[in-house]
Amino acid sequence: MIKPEQCERLTRKARKTLEEYGLGNAADLLLSSSRWGIRLDVSTIDEYRRTGNSRVGGNPDLPGNMKWPLTQDGVPMTFLAQLNLVDLTPYTPNDGRGSLPERGMLYFFIGVDEPAYHIEHRVIYEPDAHNLIRREPDGETALGKDDFVAHSVTVLPNLEFPTYAYIDSLALNAIAAPLSGGTVAVEEGGLYDRYLEFESSWNHPSTQNWGGMFGYPDGQHPDAEHQALLQIVLGEEYAYDEQACERKLTEHYGGDEKRTQQELADTLLLLKIDTHDAIGFQWWDCGELQFFIRKADLLAGRFDQTYCSLYSS
């Protein structure tokens, strides 16, 4: 878990930065909605001098008996990243949202990234990070390109604030109204516009950043968890209707609306992978690839129960 002193340091830095953006009066509200997670940056280009390190792009280090994952059409999936859990466990969230095995490797592979929902993929957990062998795919992979540049990965603790779709603009307006002597509309700017500027700089502080875990997904609407949970639990495609989705889930959970809301809250962003020039990742129009998992499946180590989608503006 993230050490208390690291949490305190990041929280102090966040509060100071919020004040610099004129958001000091909203700091408590915004900090209460922030999420602890893991930030993933590129380090140096990985020249494969060792195996089992955390790596993004390039080729993976796999157990000798592991078969390269294939799509339903028998095409090799494209390797995205391997994460050594020894690197990650010191930075897992201490707020109960996410917990990972202490050791082993986590691999991410993808098939064709069209359409942008229910993307064919594989997340593989290998408990033993020893005796791995660097492997190359047998032929062209599903994405039709095998030139993602391998980079070693730097792992950092992260305090992530709500993205555009997830910020509570009404609550921000409620704070802004007394300050302005009246009602402040979202479109009129004020705290809301300041917050969007803050979020952009805080959540994307460096061009080294290529991904993150257990934070907020990018998007236009706060329904990525609805889409993921509906597919994982019921195997149904999301019709972009939150209420209809919740009705289906509630029916599945025996009419228990509280269970539905809790399951949605416990649908976690296992990994997001951003468009990144140095690696060669380009998700449509500079978009973001997103992998989701239910908290119960995460705790049980069921990484085969995941959902993958893509957001692009």
Side-chain angles (χ1 to χ4, degrees):
M1 290 188 179
I2 305 175
K3 295 179 180 179
E5 56 267 29
Q6 292 175 314
C7 294
E8 292 172 7
R9 184 166 59 250
L10 269 174
T11 301
R12 286 198 303 269
K13 181 180 178 181
R15 190 177 290 276
K16 179 181 178 181
T17 307
L18 285 166
E19 290 174 354
E20 292 172 353
Y21 275 83
L23 295 163
N25 289 315
D28 290 339
L29 168 70
L30 295 171
L31 282 166
S32 69
S33 59
S34 63
R35 292 177 177 175
W36 290 102
I38 298 173
R39 175 179 155 187
L40 301 168
D41 285 5
V42 294
S43 179
T44 57
I45 291 178
D46 193 329
E47 298 180 348
Y48 303 110
R49 292 176 180 172
R50 66 189 182 100
T51 59
N53 59 300
S54 292
R55 179 185 304 142
V56 59
N59 294 312
D61 304 324
L62 303 177
N65 61 353
M66 182 187 291
K67 294 182 179 180
W68 191 285
L70 305 177
T71 67
Q72 292 182 350
D73 296 329
V75 178
M77 289 190 175
T78 300
F79 169 72
L80 298 174
Q82 65 180 37
L83 300 174
N84 191 317
L85 297 179
V86 170
D87 298 336
L88 302 186
T89 48
Y91 306 115
T92 53
N94 53 7
D95 56 4
R97 279 188 56 79
S99 180
L100 293 163
E102 292 185 357
R103 299 184 184 280
M105 300 291 292
L106 204 57
Y107 300 96
F108 293 84
F109 292 83
I110 189 177
V112 178
D113 59 347
E114 292 185 17
Y117 55 87
H118 194 25
I119 297 172
E120 195 173 2
H121 71 285
R122 286 285 301 280
V123 178
I124 302 172
Y125 170 55
E126 170 54 46
D128 188 357
H130 301 90
N131 302 315
L132 304 176
I133 303 171
R134 185 165 70 88
R135 299 265 295 279
E136 296 183 5
D138 184 14
E140 188 175 272
T141 66
L143 288 185
K145 54 185 298 183
D146 302 307
D147 56 353
F148 293 148
V149 180
H151 283 75
S152 299
V153 174
T154 298
V155 183
L156 299 166
N158 195 28
L159 179 62
E160 189 165 305
F161 283 81
T163 52
Y164 168 82
Y166 288 81
I167 182 61
D168 189 342
S169 58
L170 294 179
L172 269 181
N173 284 346
I175 294 174
L179 300 178
S180 63
T183 301
V184 178
V186 172
E187 292 78 8
E188 293 175 358
L191 293 189
Y192 182 73
D193 279 352
R194 290 182 218 165
Y195 176 76
L196 294 182
E197 293 177 6
F198 161 80
E199 184 272 330
S200 178
S201 63
W202 178 270
N203 285 349
H204 306 280
S206 168
T207 56
Q208 301 297 101
N209 182 232
W210 64 269
M213 306 178 77
F214 306 120
Y216 283 96
D218 274 342
Q220 291 292 321
H221 306 284
D223 59 357
E225 294 81 3
H226 287 71
Q227 183 178 12
L229 186 62
L230 188 66
Q231 183 65 52
I232 292 173
V233 173
L234 296 179
E236 296 186 16
E237 292 183 5
Y238 179 57
Y240 300 95
D241 185 330
E242 291 182 43
Q243 293 183 344
C245 174
E246 291 177 17
R247 285 195 296 269
K248 288 184 178 181
L249 290 169
T250 299
E251 182 179 355
H252 172 75
Y253 293 125
D256 190 341
E257 294 182 3
K258 289 185 178 180
R259 171 76 184 278
T260 294
Q261 295 305 316
Q262 188 61 55
E263 287 285 347
L264 287 168
D266 287 343
T267 300
L268 309 177
L269 182 61
L270 177 62
L271 176 68
K272 59 181 176 182
I273 300 179
D274 204 353
T275 290
H276 197 278
D277 291 340
I279 303 169
F281 288 157
Q282 178 69 43
W283 311 119
W284 293 23
D285 186 16
C286 297
E288 179 181 274
L289 197 64
Q290 303 167 352
F291 295 83
F292 292 89
I293 190 170
R294 293 175 58 248
K295 183 177 181 180
D297 290 331
L298 177 64
L299 295 177
R302 294 191 292 263
F303 290 97
D304 57 331
Q305 300 293 317
T306 53
Y307 179 79
C308 179
S309 58
L310 187 156
Y311 168 73
S312 174
S313 58

